[in-house]
């Protein structure tokens, strides 16, 4: 069996994902990165994926959100005067310095190519209006990304428009948040497995963990109800997530009505209170951590049996 882990985006809501994984590591006594053959992560999920594959424990990532979250997403300060207000509209909501410093403290000078497992990290190249996938060297065609610093890849996948500026990757140009097209990267992960890695669909087991999402309803009130709604991005994200899930299941040939055990599991499924969790609401970090741990306990035994009972085969990058 080949085991795949998919980690969705969501800003500070990644604290719930980190807590979920920390509970699994504690219960199993194994590191997450030692048990999965491929990890895909977008935005905050990309940060977690890169850190896990770089040797950081999930419990240390919980501390990352607790200790550094408030500095990465500080509370807005009142802006004096109309000119100050207009100036604020012209720039992103947060300065990326705190995020870079926090990532550097944990990842140092590690390169993406030093990952202990295969990685796929979605991003966007804004100047070309194209999607991009940062990858470890798990196929002979992938000859460049492994030389990049892990911090730069983490900054690139999490550069959410309006929140953080585009991140300039050395010799690669500016990048923006992969959540613009693959906030749930599970479809990307399974496509990578069956295409470039040539893994048989029937051998795949997938654990997909998204950050807490609130229920989304598409209004039937015309274009203005769509374009003026503060939740339009959430609605589009929910549609993308549904499409990614369907793509993964189709590629795995595990659509619920076929013989054999189900091989696709999801973490933190279901809707959460509307407006309760936000991308930058750091006052909710403790609640997110409690939620992640509680959700992991619900299905921890089954997840442990399916994904964490044995270590994966060693990952050797292509020469």
């Amino acid at each position: 069996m080949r085991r795949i882990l998919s980690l969705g985006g969501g800003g500070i809501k990644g604290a719930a994902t980190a807590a979920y994984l920390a509970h699994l590591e504690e219960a199993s006594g194994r590191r997450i990165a030692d048990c999965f053959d491929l990890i895909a992560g977008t935005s905050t999920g990309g940060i977690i994926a890169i850190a896990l594959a770089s040797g950081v424990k999930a419990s240390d990532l919980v501390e990352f959100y607790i200790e550094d979250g408030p500095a990465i997403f500080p509370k807005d300060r009142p802006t004096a005067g109309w000119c100050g207000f207009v100036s604020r509209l012209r720039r992103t909501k947060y300065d990326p310095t705190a995020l870079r410093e926090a990532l550097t403290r944990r990842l140092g000078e590690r390169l993406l190519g030093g990952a202990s497992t295969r990685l796929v990290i979605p991003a966007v190249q804004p100047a070309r209006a194209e999607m991009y996938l940062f990858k470890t060297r798990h196929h002979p065609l992938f000859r460049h990304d492994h030389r990049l610093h892990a911090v730069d890849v983490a900054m690139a996948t999490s550069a959410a428009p309006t929140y953080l500026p585009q991140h300039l990757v050395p010799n690669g140009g500016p990048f923006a948040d992969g959540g613009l097209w693959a906030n749930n990267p599970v479809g990307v992960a399974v496509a990578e497995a069956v295409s470039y890695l040539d893994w048989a669909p029937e051998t795949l087991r997938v654990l997909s963990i998204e950050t807490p999402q609130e229920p989304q309803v598409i209004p039937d009130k015309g274009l203005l109800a769509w374009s003026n709604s503060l939740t339009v991005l959430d609605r589009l994200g929910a549609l993308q997530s549904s499409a990614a899930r369907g793509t993964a299941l189709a590629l795995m040939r595990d659509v619920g009505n076929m013989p054999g055990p189900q091989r696709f599991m999801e973490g933190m499924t279901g809707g959460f209170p509307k407006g309760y969790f936000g991308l930058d609401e750091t006052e909710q970090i403790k609640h997110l951590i409690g939620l992640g741990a509680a959700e992991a306990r619900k299905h921890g035994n089954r997840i442990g049996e399916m994904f964490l009972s044995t270590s994966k085969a060693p990952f050797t990058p292509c020469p």
Side-chain angles (χ1 to χ4, degrees), residues 56-137:
V56 180
K57 295 189 299 183
S59 58
D60 291 337
L61 287 169
V62 174
E63 294 304 313
F64 161 73
Y65 287 97
I66 294 173
E67 296 173 2
D68 297 301
I72 296 168
F73 297 123
K75 291 297 182 182
D76 286 342
R77 295 178 180 178
T79 303
W82 175 251
C83 292
F85 174 73
V86 172
S87 177
R88 287 287 298 278
L89 289 178
R90 290 176 176 171
R91 62 179 189 267
T92 55
K93 192 173 182 180
Y94 301 107
D95 187 294
T97 304
L99 176 58
R100 173 177 274 284
E101 291 176 348
L103 291 173
T104 301
R105 283 195 297 272
R106 287 162 176 81
L107 299 176
E109 297 297 316
R110 293 183 180 90
L111 302 180
L112 188 69
S116 62
T117 191
R118 302 167 187 83
L119 290 175
V120 177
I121 310 295
V124 169
Q125 290 182 303
R128 299 165 59 88
E130 291 182 356
M131 50 76 75
Y132 190 87
L133 292 170
F134 292 101
K135 301 181 183 182
T136 48
R137 191 156 164 72

Side-chain angles (χ1 to χ4, degrees), residues 199-253:
W199 293 345
E202 61 272 13
T203 68
L204 302 182
R205 289 182 178 178
V206 176
L207 175 60
S208 177
I209 303 175
E210 292 190 76
T211 59
Q213 309 293 326
E214 63 184 46
Q216 297 298 324
V217 177
I218 298 176
D220 185 21
K221 297 180 181 179
L223 180 61
L224 288 179
W226 266 89
S227 60
N228 292 342
S229 173
L230 294 176
T231 60
V232 63
L233 291 179
D234 290 328
R235 289 170 182 153
L236 293 175
L239 291 171
Q240 183 274 325
S241 179
S242 177
R245 189 181 305 112
T247 298
L249 288 170
L251 289 171
M252 292 172 65
R253 302 172 188 172

Side-chain angles (χ1 to χ4, degrees), residues 245-271:
R245 189 181 305 112
T247 298
L249 288 170
L251 289 171
M252 292 172 65
R253 302 172 188 172
D254 186 3
V255 292
N257 58 357
M258 301 183 71
Q262 183 137 352
R263 296 171 286 114
F264 185 96
M265 287 196 66
E266 295 182 281
M268 290 187 284
T269 57

